[in-house]
Amino acid sequence: MAGADAAEGVRSWVMHDRSLYPLVEREDRSACGTGFIVEASGRPSRRVVTSALDALGRLVHRGATAADDETGDGAGLLTDLPGAFFREILEREIGASPGESEVPAVAMAFVPVGEEPDLERVTERAAARYGMRYLGRRAVPVRPEALGDVARSCMPSVVQLFVACPTAGPRPVESELYLLRRAIERELGEASTTCICSLSSKTIVYKGLLTPRQLEGFYPDLTDERWLARVALFHHRFATNTLPSWSLAQPFRLLAHNGEINTIRGNRLWMRAREREMHSPFWGEDLATLLPITGDAVSDSASFDHVLEFLHRSGRDLCHSLMLMVPDPYHGSPRVPPALRDFFVYHENVMEPWDGPAALVFTDGEVVGAKLDRNALRPLRYTETRDGLVIMASEAGVVDVEEDNLVHNRHMGPGEIYAVRLDGGGVRTDGEIKAQVACGAPYGELVRHFAELERGGAELEFGEFALPPNGFDRRLRIAFGWHKEEIAKLLLPMSQSGREPIGSMGDDTPPAVLSRGDRRLYDYFKQAFAQVTNPPIDPIREASVTGLYKYLGTEDNLLSGQPSPSSAIRIEGPVLSPREVLWLQRSHDWFPHANVSCHASRDDSFDARLDGICRSAAEAVARGCRIIFLSHEQLDETAVPIPMVLVVSAVHHHLIEQRSRSAASLVCLAGDVVSDHHVACLVAVGASAVYPYLAYELIREHEADSEDWPASIARYRSALERGLLKIMAKMGISTLNSYHGSMNVHALGLSGDLLSLPVPEAG
């Protein structure tokens, strides 16, 4: 489908065919309150600011307060920069002004007492380095008496720094200011607690450890009649995964978020892993200044904002970036337009989804918009009025609208994106945005380079599976820790029913650390649980938005301005059959792989052997191998197997340290996998796929006299994958792509020495 036809196909589908998404009624009062108000005409007004402050005041019930009942978890406002207001401040208070070929930019910063001179010196030096002029500083007027006791006790100095940025620089002004801010942060160092809330020529953030009704009382600027704006984002925080602080109040620089990113640990690790592979003529050598893109010492929403800002300031359209990070499902309906399907297929091999309940509002000073996750687990509603306001919020009624002033009132649907241009260009609907983004490159041609490993029936997948020539070696059961109870109560029932066994709520099996018997290393891990405000997914009723497909191979460059036809192999699920493994191994000529044995000699140093495995995997990746098979096969009496979950975790983190993790996939040929929990642990710590060959051999041995043994193995595989899907769903995670490497497991009873095993130094 070409050009205009493809775009029209996407628009038509989005408008008329939403059968892909489940229609499930949900409780709509959970977690943070957020939204925006915008003048559709593009003309700044005072009512945008006052309406946003009123709306924020009506969302008090969505946030939380400290024990003093006066300190909030955080509240704030992001508006476009009121030019006249700041021009007057520059002229009267600072005595400076930008030149004819310069634009003024304002940094809003929280600075610990005593560190202000350091911030000024660093800013002046960094501005000169990038061809900008430092103009001066302003102490932002504040009223500490408006705060609660807790907030007042940790209140930073609030200052604004002014910079003049040339309009004819090597990159757009906002990208240059992003580079400047990152340079300042790097020079201040990790030990500094200074927070630059915003640095922009278009937008500014006023926020703090406040309740909504304290915001305008604390910041008199917001009540100044000269403060006119075209748009205002607002947010009231309910902190669930980090302690409240001034810097973690929202909005952030582009974004305000209601929800949780359930895969945040994995998302951060994958971003770190990509850093060596990224290259960009847009940034050139300046790219190093922007790294690391995000870190662990912030909230999930802050990390999301970091990555969104990095993508957008690197030249990617803002809506495109949101569709990349929070993609729609497409595999559940054959009616999804080819152009949109190809867009999502291609980008699955660029970045994993940031998965979890999400209601996102965003602006870069040129467009303001909103995006929902694929399940719509957080609500957003918008109203368009005859007098030109667009009101978006996490619930209705935040702004009073007379009935005769109402044009449109709608609840956003799953996966929907909505935007308004701030230049008066009007509303951009879901269909228009997706049509434009999906047709922005020839994704259909690019995805033709992806191979798809389609599954067949049980006979095709398992029919050629053969036991070893000399029969099954029963000593392997002992070597890999198999017990008769596992075979009788787990393995064989799964091969007969295609489901995991149902246990009693009165299960009295002791935790592995308290057990007197030998337990597998997997048993010391427990799946992480969802936050209190985070609903699980029903993987049966909501099958259309879940998926176990995965791509093997090398990711494309995240910063590629021209998408490349890098090849990858798509598998339908993470538990491989013998035919699929043989197919991958026979594809070596065009899809190189390496086998790394995961055994240890009885005389080996355990640490040294694990280091050797990590180094072998890293060397294979450096040679261009795109799959690393971590193998328990070919075990003999001179060696013992290393638990596969330990091997995968060590190799995964070693490759991350070397910034080469995104260059290859890890596939486990495991002899110690029994249950869906074992598969989930392996995928969570970094395995792309698992081949439980010894479990298959045991089923084959048990079914030796039956002609139905291929079907039994197929049912066992189905049970593993269905169980994995249920485990993901409990965490509110929809796709294997986002669960992969998510580290959503907790260790219970393992020593600190084992958990902190060093990996070889990156070389």
Side-chain angles (χ1 to χ4, degrees), residues 144-175:
E145 62 273 15
L147 300 176
D149 293 339
V150 175
R152 191 161 51 246
S153 69
C154 60
M155 185 187 81
S157 297
V158 185
V159 299
Q160 288 168 347
L161 306 178
F162 296 84
V163 174
C165 183
T167 55
R171 289 172 284 257
V173 168
E174 290 299 303
S175 295

Side-chain angles (χ1 to χ4, degrees), residues 309-582:
E309 184 182 28
F310 174 75
L311 293 173
H312 184 45
R313 299 309 178 202
S314 298
R316 195 183 295 267
D317 175 77
L318 186 56
C319 291
H320 185 163
S321 302
L322 266 296
M323 289 171 61
L324 169 61
M325 296 180 70
V326 187
D328 295 7
Y330 64 86
H331 60 282
S333 171
R335 294 187 291 274
V336 176
L340 190 59
R341 180 186 185 280
D342 292 340
F343 170 86
F344 288 122
V345 168
Y346 174 79
H347 285 90
E348 283 169 347
N349 200 43
V350 172
M351 178 187 282
E352 76 291 342
W354 290 57
D355 208 346
L360 304 157
V361 292
F362 55 89
T363 186
D364 61 354
E366 295 182 2
V367 65
V368 61
K371 178 82 170 71
L372 279 188
D373 67 271
R374 63 176 60 205
N375 296 283
L377 293 173
R378 291 290 185 270
L380 278 175
R381 302 168 175 85
Y382 63 88
T383 299
E384 298 171 8
T385 69
R386 296 188 187 280
D387 60 358
L389 275 187
V390 177
I391 304 158
M392 176 76 69
S394 47
E395 57 195 77
V398 296
V399 175
D400 294 329
V401 177
E402 298 295 332
E403 187 173 349
D404 59 0
N405 191 28
L406 181 65
V407 174
H408 198 59
N409 195 15
R410 188 174 181 276
H411 192 301
M412 286 185 68
E416 185 175 350
I417 189 167
Y418 175 94
V420 182
R421 291 183 60 89
L422 298 186
D423 61 1
V427 169
R428 298 179 65 200
T429 64
D430 189 44
E432 293 169 348
I433 294 169
K434 288 175 179 172
Q436 180 181 353
V437 172
C439 298
Y443 297 113
E445 296 177 14
L446 297 173
V447 299
R448 293 195 190 106
H449 295 270
F450 293 177
E452 188 161 357
L453 187 48
E454 296 182 354
R455 290 182 174 178
E459 189 65 35
L460 174 66
E461 297 293 327
F462 301 97
E464 296 183 6
F465 184 82
L467 292 175
N470 298 323
F472 179 73
D473 189 342
R474 294 175 180 270
R475 292 176 298 174
L476 290 174
R477 289 187 184 178
I478 299 173
F480 284 105
W482 284 79
H483 299 285
K484 289 182 179 180
E485 185 173 295
E486 287 180 326
I487 297 173
K489 294 188 176 181
L490 286 173
L491 184 69
L492 296 181
M494 291 167 77
S495 71
Q496 293 160 5
S497 68
R499 298 174 180 271
E500 60 176 326
I502 297 175
S504 166
M505 291 181 65
D507 180 17
D508 60 356
T509 304
V513 65
L514 301 178
S515 177
R516 294 181 179 178
D518 293 332
R519 301 291 290 272
R520 297 183 185 278
L521 187 61
Y522 299 100
D523 297 339
Y524 290 85
F525 293 94
K526 299 296 181 185
Q527 295 295 323
F529 64 91
Q531 298 284 357
V532 66
T533 63
N534 188 356
I537 298 169
D538 183 337
I540 298 174
R541 294 177 65 195
E542 302 184 34
S544 62
V545 295
T546 60
L548 290 177
Y549 53 86
K550 186 77 184 75
Y551 291 85
L552 305 181
T554 304
E555 289 183 355
D556 196 6
N557 174 22
L558 184 61
L559 295 183
S560 175
Q562 295 295 324
S564 62
S566 59
S567 60
I569 297 174
R570 176 186 169 113
I571 55 176
E572 293 187 19
V575 183
L576 300 180
S577 70
R579 183 189 71 85
E580 290 171 320
V581 172
L582 286 172

Side-chain angles (χ1 to χ4, degrees), residues 594-615:
N595 289 292
V596 178
S597 175
C598 300
H599 306 149
S601 167
R602 296 176 184 179
D603 299 326
D604 281 344
S605 159
F606 175 75
D607 290 351
R609 179 63 188 128
L610 200 58
D611 285 358
I613 291 172
C614 291
R615 293 185 189 279

Side-chain angles (χ1 to χ4, degrees), residues 59-291:
L59 294 175
V60 170
H61 62 285
R62 279 190 169 269
T65 56
D68 64 4
D69 202 32
E70 293 180 336
T71 298
D73 275 7
L77 210 64
L78 183 162
T79 77
D80 56 315
L81 208 62
F85 178 86
F86 281 111
R87 275 195 300 273
E88 190 168 335
I89 287 174
L90 273 172
E91 292 171 1
R92 292 188 179 182
E93 297 184 24
I94 297 176
S97 61
E100 291 184 3
S101 59
E102 296 175 320
V103 293
V106 185
M108 183 79 165
F110 295 151
V111 188
V113 176
E115 290 188 20
E116 273 192 60
D118 294 338
L119 177 61
E120 281 196 80
R121 284 195 299 269
V122 169
T123 301
E124 187 168 7
R125 285 199 303 266
R129 188 187 317 149
Y130 294 112
M132 305 180 201
R133 288 193 303 125
Y134 176 67
L135 300 178
R137 67 173 286 280
R138 173 194 185 219
V140 178
V142 294
R143 297 192 184 109
E145 62 273 15
L147 300 176
D149 293 339
V150 175
R152 191 161 51 246
S153 69
C154 60
M155 185 187 81
S157 297
V158 185
V159 299
Q160 288 168 347
L161 306 178
F162 296 84
V163 174
C165 183
T167 55
R171 289 172 284 257
V173 168
E174 290 299 303
S175 295
E176 289 290 284
L177 291 170
Y178 170 57
L179 177 63
L180 172 63
R181 193 196 84 238
R182 294 295 290 123
I184 294 169
E185 291 169 341
R186 284 177 67 91
E187 192 166 342
L188 288 172
E190 293 183 5
S192 173
T193 55
T194 293
C195 171
I196 303 177
C197 306
S198 61
L199 171 52
S200 173
S201 66
K202 296 186 176 182
T203 61
I204 191 165
V205 174
Y206 276 64
K207 66 178 185 178
L209 205 56
L210 311 161
T211 66
R213 295 192 176 104
Q214 291 170 347
L215 185 63
E216 59 185 315
F218 181 69
Y219 288 117
D221 282 357
L222 297 177
T223 61
D224 194 304
E225 291 300 317
R226 297 170 297 167
W227 194 287
L228 308 179
R230 297 175 296 173
V231 64
L233 259 69
F234 50 86
H235 188 275
H236 185 204
R237 187 173 185 227
F238 184 96
T240 57
N241 51 27
T242 50
L243 291 174
S245 71
W246 281 79
S247 62
L248 292 182
Q250 297 189 45
F252 293 112
R253 299 174 188 100
L254 293 179
L255 178 84
H257 170 221
N258 172 19
E260 285 93 23
I261 306 299
N262 298 326
T263 55
I264 187 61
R265 293 170 68 187
N267 294 130
R268 288 168 177 158
L269 282 171
W270 283 116
M271 288 307 301
R272 183 180 173 190
R274 294 182 181 107
E275 289 177 0
R276 177 177 287 186
E277 300 296 321
M278 288 189 298
H279 50 88
S280 166
F282 184 90
W283 291 114
E285 295 182 358
D286 288 330
L287 180 59
T289 303
L290 306 178
L291 306 180

Side-chain angles (χ1 to χ4, degrees), residues 37-48:
I37 297 175
V38 59
E39 288 280 7
S41 67
R43 292 188 294 272
S45 71
R46 181 64 196 155
R47 68 172 179 169
V48 164

